[in-house]
Amino acid sequence: MGRRLWTILLLVQTLCLTSVDAYPDGKVTESCGSMMPIHGHAPNTSHSPYTLAVNVTKFSSGDYIQVTLSGTTYFEGFLLEARNASNPDSDAVGSFILTNPKTTQLLKCGHTAGSAVSHTSDARQTKIVVIWNAPQNSPDAVEFLVTVVAHFKTFWVKIPGPVVSQSGVTPIPPKPTTPSTTIMTSTPSVLPKPFSSVGCGQQKSCLLDPVGCDPEKDPSCFFLSFAPKGQTVVFELSGPSDGYIAFALSHDTWMGDDDMYLCVRDDGLVDVSAAYVEGRSYPKEASENVLTDVAWRLADGVIQCRFRRQVLVPQDPTRFSLDAPYYLFMAYGEAEYGELQYDIRSCCGLIPICNTCFVISGILMLIAWMLAGSTGTFLASYFKPDWPERTLFGQRIWFQVHRGLMILTVLLTCVAFTLPFIYRGGWSKRAGAHPYLGCTVLTLALLQPIMATLRPPPDSSRRWVFNWLHWGVGTVAEIMAG
Ligand SMILES: *[C@@H]1O[C@H](CO)[C@@H](O)[C@H](O)[C@H]1NC(C)=O
Ligand SMILES: *[C@@H]1O[C@H](CO)[C@@H](O)[C@H](O)[C@H]1NC(C)=O
Ligand SMILES: *[C@@H]1O[C@H](CO)[C@@H](O)[C@H](O)[C@H]1NC(C)=O
C-alpha cells in the first residue's frame, strides 16, 4: 500500500473513529443507565419546555398506558424510560409499544427488549405518543423519565414525568422540584463586518485556506488569525459552515489530545467555547470560561467569531499555554442533535486544514535557503578568493563548506517539500500556486548537484557556461523559495 493511501486511511480512521458519539439515528443504548447524552456539555438546568403525560394514575400488571411527550417547542431527540419510582437510578421496567415507528424506535435497556424509546432521526418534532405495557413483577409505583435534546447543547436530562401506582397501593407523594439556577454570563457582542486579511504578517499572524484568499470578499475563505496583546492573544476565526467551525492546537499532526476552540451555530446564534479533545472522544468543554471579549457574526453562510484568551491559563491544565509552537488544525462540519457530526458522511468533508504544515515547511524552506543556501552561496562568492589554497579532505576548504551547506539545503528542501504531501495525503488542490512553486524549487535544487558533478574542468573553454548556469539556477531557486 502506498504511503499516500496509508495517510488517507489514517486520516479517515482518526476522524471517523471520533464519530462513535454521534447519535442522530437514536441508537443511544450507551445512555440507557444515566439517560445522559454523551455530549461534552452540561445539561440545561432551567425549566424544560417539555412535558410527559399519561392517561391513567393507577395501573395493574399487564395494563397498557398511553404516554405522550409534547413540547411548546420542537425537539430533535429523546430517550424515554419507565423506572421504579422509589429508585429512579435503577434499570428501566416494563416495555413500550410504538404508535409511529417512523419517528420512534424501541431500544433494549437492561435486560428487557423495548424498555426504552428514542427518536429515529434528528428531524424536529413537537409530540410523540407511545404505549407502556406494565410488567408482571412491576414496582408499586412507576415513574416515567425522559431526556430531551432540543438542539445543539440545549438538552434536559431525566425530566421527571408522572408517577403511576399499582391499584391498591398508596401513591408516593410527588417530590418537591428544585428551583433552577441560572448563571449570568457576559453577553457576546455582534461583529459589524467580515474579518480582514489586512495586517496579516504585521499586526497578526494569519492562516488562509485557500492560500491568499480574502475573508472580506470571498465567503469560501477559511480564515484564522492570532494577535498577541500583552498577556493575552486575540483570535479571529471565520469560514463557511452550516454547523460549526473550529481550530485546534495540537502537539502532533493527528487529532486527539488537542486544545480546541469551537464556534457553533446554534439557532441563529453562535456559541463560542474552548474544549479538550481527548483521544477519540467528543470535545470536553472547558469548565471554566476562559474566553473573553467574545464576538460573532452570521452572514452569507459564514460563521465568524472572535475572542481573547490568556497566554497562560493555570486554573485549567487542558488549555495549552500559547507561548509554544503547535500544529494547527482548522475544522468544520455539522452540529445537530447536540453533537458535532464526526460521522463518515461529514468525516470526509471534515478536512483538517493544516496550514501550519505550510508554515512549518515554510520555516524549513526558510532555514534551508536563508541560512544554508545563502551562506553557501556567500561563501562561494566571497571566501573563494580569500581561501584559495587551504584544503580539507583533499578539496579546497571553501568548496567543502559550500558543498556541505548546499547538500543540507537540498535535504531540507526535500523534507519541506514532502511534509504537505504526507500530511494532506496527496496533492493539495486548494493551495494555489504553492505546490507548483515547491515542485519547481525542488527540481532546481536537485538540478544543482547534478550540474555540479557534470561540470567541466576549471580550465575547459565551456567552464564559464557552468559557472553562469550554476549561479543563475541557484539564484532563481533561492528567490522562488523565499
Ligand atoms: C436552557 O434552555 C433555554 C432555551 O429553552 C436557554 O434560554 C437557557 O439559556 C438554557 N439554560 C442553560 C443553563 O443552558
Ligand atoms: C390509556 O391508553 C391505553 C393505550 O391507548 C388504552 O389501552 C387504555 O384503555 C387507556 N386508558 C384510559 C383510562 O383511557
Ligand atoms: C423499587 O425500589 C425500592 C427501593 O429501592 C425497592 O425496595 C423495591 O424492591 C423496588 N421494586 C422492584 C420491583 O424492583
Side-chain angles (χ1 to χ4, degrees), residues 55-56 64 66 131:
N55 67 344
V56 293
Y64 293 93
Q66 181 181 297
I131 314 288

Side-chain angles (χ1 to χ4, degrees), residues 59-64 132-139 166-167:
F59 72 95
S60 306
S61 287
D63 271 6
Y64 293 93
W132 183 71
N133 182 207
Q136 285 311 314
N137 51 348
S138 174
Q166 289 218 53
S167 309

Side-chain angles (χ1 to χ4, degrees), residues 42-50 73 150 153-156 181-183:
N44 199 309
T45 50
S46 61
H47 183 73
S48 97
Y50 308 102
T73 178
K153 286 177 76 174
T154 311
F155 61 93
W156 287 261
T181 46
T182 357
I183 306 144

Side-chain angles (χ1 to χ4, degrees), residues 207 250-253 325-328 354-368 412 415-417 419-420 423 434:
L207 298 179
S250 179
H251 292 299
D252 46 42
T253 50
Y326 298 102
Y327 291 95
L328 280 159
C354 183
N355 286 294
T356 322
C357 279
F358 279 139
V359 172
I360 284 168
S361 66
I363 287 167
L364 284 182
M365 280 277 211
L366 222 66
I367 294 171
L412 281 175
V415 174
F417 180 72
L419 260 185
Y423 186 73
H434 197 111

Side-chain angles (χ1 to χ4, degrees), residues 234-438:
V234 174
F235 290 94
E236 292 176 329
L237 177 65
S238 77
S241 177
D242 294 334
Y244 74 96
I245 52 172
F247 72 90
L249 310 175
S250 179
H251 292 299
D252 46 42
T253 50
W254 307 119
M255 296 278 266
D257 290 333
D258 301 333
D259 182 8
M260 197 175 209
Y261 297 84
L262 298 137
C263 300
V264 187
R265 182 189 288 247
D266 186 8
D267 251 358
L269 306 173
V270 175
D271 183 85
V272 183
S273 59
Y276 181 66
V277 194
E278 186 186 348
R280 292 162 176 175
S281 69
Y282 186 85
K284 274 197 190 63
E285 201 173 318
S287 48
E288 304 254 355
N289 194 11
V290 293
L291 310 180
T292 53
D293 294 356
V294 174
W296 57 267
R297 181 172 179 259
L298 282 174
D300 309 318
V302 171
I303 302 177
Q304 223 185 311
C305 56
R306 189 185 64 202
F307 58 88
R308 184 191 290 268
R309 213 209 86 175
Q310 296 286 327
V311 172
L312 301 173
V313 185
Q315 71 268 31
D316 187 348
T318 55
R319 302 278 75 74
F320 294 180
S321 77
L322 297 176
D323 55 5
Y326 298 102
Y327 291 95
L328 280 159
F329 290 90
M330 283 205 259
Y332 64 94
E334 298 286 313
E336 283 294 327
Y337 180 52
E339 306 281 355
L340 304 185
Q341 302 280 301
Y342 286 119
D343 59 332
I344 309 259
R345 178 171 43 92
S346 55
C347 152
C348 302
L350 180 88
I351 306 155
I353 303 147
C354 183
N355 286 294
T356 322
C357 279
F358 279 139
V359 172
I360 284 168
S361 66
I363 287 167
L364 284 182
M365 280 277 211
L366 222 66
I367 294 171
W369 290 95
M370 297 306 276
L371 234 136
S374 306
T375 318
T377 320
F378 187 72
L379 275 174
S381 29
Y382 295 94
F383 287 96
K384 190 177 162 186
D386 285 356
W387 297 339
E389 301 313 329
R390 292 217 201 157
T391 56
L392 184 71
F393 307 122
Q395 286 279 3
R396 271 168 298 176
I397 207 163
W398 75 264
F399 180 75
Q400 288 287 24
V401 175
H402 171 73
R403 190 169 60 180
L405 284 169
M406 283 314 188
I407 287 168
L408 184 68
T409 306
V410 172
L411 284 179
L412 281 175
T413 310
C414 289
V415 174
F417 180 72
T418 44
L419 260 185
F421 275 87
I422 292 168
Y423 186 73
R424 289 183 174 228
W427 187 268
S428 166
K429 288 191 188 65
R430 308 182 61 169
H434 197 111
Y436 298 97
L437 273 175

Side-chain angles (χ1 to χ4, degrees), residues 125-143:
Q125 349 188 30
T126 52
K127 185 178 173 181
I128 60 108
V129 178
V130 289
I131 314 288
W132 183 71
N133 182 207
Q136 285 311 314
N137 51 348
S138 174
D140 292 344
V142 167
E143 180 170 25

Side-chain angles (χ1 to χ4, degrees), residues 203-218:
Q203 295 96 328
K204 54 189 181 188
S205 308
C206 302
L207 298 179
L208 295 153
D209 189 278
V211 170
C213 67
D214 185 353
E216 248 175 320
K217 300 194 184 79
D218 183 3

